[in-house]
């Protein structure tokens, strides 16, 4: 197995693999475990939280799908990706897989951006499918399906199970541009939109899954951003907004963000919930403190759905 193949199968970036080989102490245990797991050097107990097992199964499913692709295929996200998973705290229904698929289709009808998270498409070759009790979509890249976009930001893989657990992995829109090289820019607007979309998706799914009152549920969200090292934080996607947030090149390659957000009032207070999450992310770029006004400005644009 080559280093490039090992990096791809472990789902880590090249700088993360290099940091592992150098024995750097800043590398997270989760990433070290991912690297060791590929070569069979992890002795893991079977027990664990249900969400942790779901996350591991989802990552392994994605890795199996991309394992036959060329090393630099955009669907392998060679320059980095973000990965999100969420579940609910509280009493939820136990729908069948078919019922759950219909719920997801219903939630997907509301679009806030042109390429929403957990997208449900109708074409036979890319529509959601049931695999081992889960509903999943993989937007396969070059040479496998006729598609308009084949850059990392349009090679999504998402997966969900009827117990209300969802997983998404996607590359960066910044890495599919012709005007600047991949892995050089990290936009300051897109993370607000994507994290906001994910929370809105969860709140909408809660309306279908809640056993009684959806407002009694809490969303447990986790997002991992990778491939950050060397990227410059810039207002790229919306340079004419008049509200800017920029920073220095990131010295860290990844950041893990976790939060718990009540469904009650989520839509009205979305900006307030996002401010601490965006702050944790932008700290990697030595950015100035993230203001509520900056996040609210982008949330207002997101909610209008003008795409």
């Amino acid at each position: 197995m080559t280093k490039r193949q090992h990096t791809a199968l472990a789902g880590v970036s090249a700088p993360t693999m290099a940091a592992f080989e150098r024995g750097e102490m800043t590398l997270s245990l989760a990433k070290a475990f991912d690297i060791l797991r590929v070569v069979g050097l992890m002795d893991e107990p079977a027990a664990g939280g249900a969400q942790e097992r779901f996350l591991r199964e989802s990552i392994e499913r994605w890795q199996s799908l991309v394992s036959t692709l060329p090393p630099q295929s955009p669907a392998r996200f060679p320059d980095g990706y973000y990965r999100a998973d969420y579940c609910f705290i509280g009493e939820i229904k136990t729908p069948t897989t078919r019922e759950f698929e219909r719920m997801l289709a219903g939630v997907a009808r509301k679009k806030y951006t042109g390429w929403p998270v957990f997208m449900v498409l109708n074409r036979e070759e890319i529509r959601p499918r049931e695999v081992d009790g889960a509903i999943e979509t993989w937007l396969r890249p070059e040479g496998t399906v006729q598609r308009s976009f084949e850059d990392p930001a349009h090679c999504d893989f998402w997966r969900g199970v009827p117990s209300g657990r969802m997983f998404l992995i996607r590359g960066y829109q910044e890495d599919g541009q012709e005007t600047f090289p991949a892995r050089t820019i990290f936009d300051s607007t897109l993370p607000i939109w994507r994290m906001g979309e994910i929370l809105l998706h969860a709140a909408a799914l809660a309306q279908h899954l809640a056993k009684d009152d959806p407002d009694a549920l809490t969303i447990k969200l986790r997002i991992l951003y990778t491939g950050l090292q060397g990227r410059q934080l810039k207002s790229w996607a919306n340079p004419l907004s008049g509200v800017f947030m920029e920073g220095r090149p990131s010295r860290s390659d990844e950041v893990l963000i976790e939060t718990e957000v009540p469904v009650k009032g989520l839509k009205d207070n979305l900006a307030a919930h996002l401010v601490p999450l965006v702050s944790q992310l932008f700290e990697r770029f030595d950015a100035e403190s993230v203001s509520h006004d900056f996040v609210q400005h982008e949330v207002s644009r997101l909610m209008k759905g003008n795409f």
Side-chain angles (χ1 to χ4, degrees):
M1 182 189 302
T2 67
K3 182 193 289 188
R4 179 174 288 178
Q5 290 171 329
H6 191 177
T7 299
L9 288 172
V12 300
S13 63
T16 297
M17 179 64 78
F20 175 80
E21 292 177 337
R22 292 193 300 268
E24 293 187 6
M25 301 304 291
T26 56
L27 189 67
S28 71
L29 280 174
K31 284 301 171 188
F33 290 168
D34 285 340
I35 293 168
L36 293 170
R37 189 177 288 110
V38 171
V39 291
L41 294 179
M42 277 295 297
D43 183 16
E44 299 176 289
Q51 186 66 9
E52 297 302 321
R53 291 195 298 273
F54 168 73
L55 175 62
R56 175 53 48 196
E57 290 167 358
S58 299
I59 294 172
E60 290 174 351
R61 173 62 178 156
W62 171 73
Q63 289 173 339
S64 73
L65 290 170
V66 302
S67 63
T68 60
L69 298 177
Q72 289 302 307
S73 168
R76 283 184 178 272
F77 313 133
D79 296 299
Y81 59 83
Y82 62 95
R83 183 193 81 198
D85 68 281
Y86 74 73
C87 62
F88 296 102
I89 301 172
E91 293 294 318
I92 63 172
K93 301 173 186 175
T94 53
T96 65
T97 304
R98 181 64 63 84
E99 290 169 340
F100 184 61
E101 183 176 1
R102 286 197 290 266
M103 291 177 183
L104 292 174
V107 171
R109 291 192 187 100
K110 174 60 178 176
K111 295 182 180 181
Y112 294 95
T113 65
W115 196 263
V117 298
F118 305 110
M119 183 183 296
V120 173
L121 299 170
N122 296 320
R123 280 174 51 191
E124 178 62 27
E125 63 269 29
I126 52 178
R127 67 173 179 80
R129 299 182 183 278
E130 185 276 328
V131 178
D132 296 330
I135 303 299
E136 67 177 46
T137 285
W138 182 41
L139 300 181
R140 296 173 288 174
E142 68 284 321
T144 54
V145 174
Q146 175 116 23
R147 297 177 48 207
S148 300
F149 304 104
E150 293 183 347
D151 59 282
H154 298 91
C155 291
D156 301 22
F157 172 73
W158 66 258
R159 182 174 182 266
V161 293
S163 55
R165 307 182 191 281
M166 298 295 297
F167 170 89
L168 167 73
I169 187 168
R170 178 188 284 183
Y172 296 121
Q173 192 169 327
E174 301 92 314
D175 291 341
Q177 307 304 309
E178 297 180 352
T179 53
F180 52 83
R183 205 184 174 93
T184 57
I185 298 297
F186 191 84
D187 183 65
S188 58
T189 294
L190 294 173
I192 299 173
W193 290 7
R194 301 312 179 202
M195 285 192 276
E197 275 189 297
I198 293 168
L199 285 173
L200 289 168
H201 185 277
L205 185 57
Q207 306 303 312
H208 296 272
L209 279 176
K211 186 172 287 187
D212 295 307
D213 181 10
D215 285 349
L217 296 180
T218 296
I219 303 160
K220 188 172 184 179
L221 172 66
R222 167 173 46 189
I223 305 178
L224 175 70
Y225 286 88
T226 74
L228 302 180
Q229 189 173 23
R231 291 181 187 264
Q232 180 98 32
L233 183 68
K234 284 187 174 294
S235 297
W236 164 71
N238 188 31
L240 302 179
S241 69
V243 181
F244 296 96
M245 173 63 68
E246 299 194 345
R248 300 183 180 89
S250 173
R251 293 190 294 270
S252 302
D253 197 53
E254 62 182 51
V255 58
L256 180 65
I257 301 169
E258 299 180 87
T259 189
E260 294 182 6
V261 179
V263 171
K264 185 176 182 179
L266 183 147
K267 201 167 184 178
D268 293 335
N269 299 294
L270 184 57
H273 292 305
L274 289 175
V275 167
L277 310 184
V278 177
S279 296
Q280 290 180 60
L281 176 57
F282 287 1
E283 280 176 359
R284 297 301 189 273
F285 302 91
D286 291 332
E288 297 179 2
S289 58
V290 177
S291 70
H292 182 276
D293 288 346
F294 169 70
V295 176
Q296 182 61 64
H297 176 79
E298 294 303 333
V299 167
S300 296
R301 293 180 63 231
L302 172 69
M303 299 301 288
K304 291 177 182 177
N306 294 330
F307 52 86

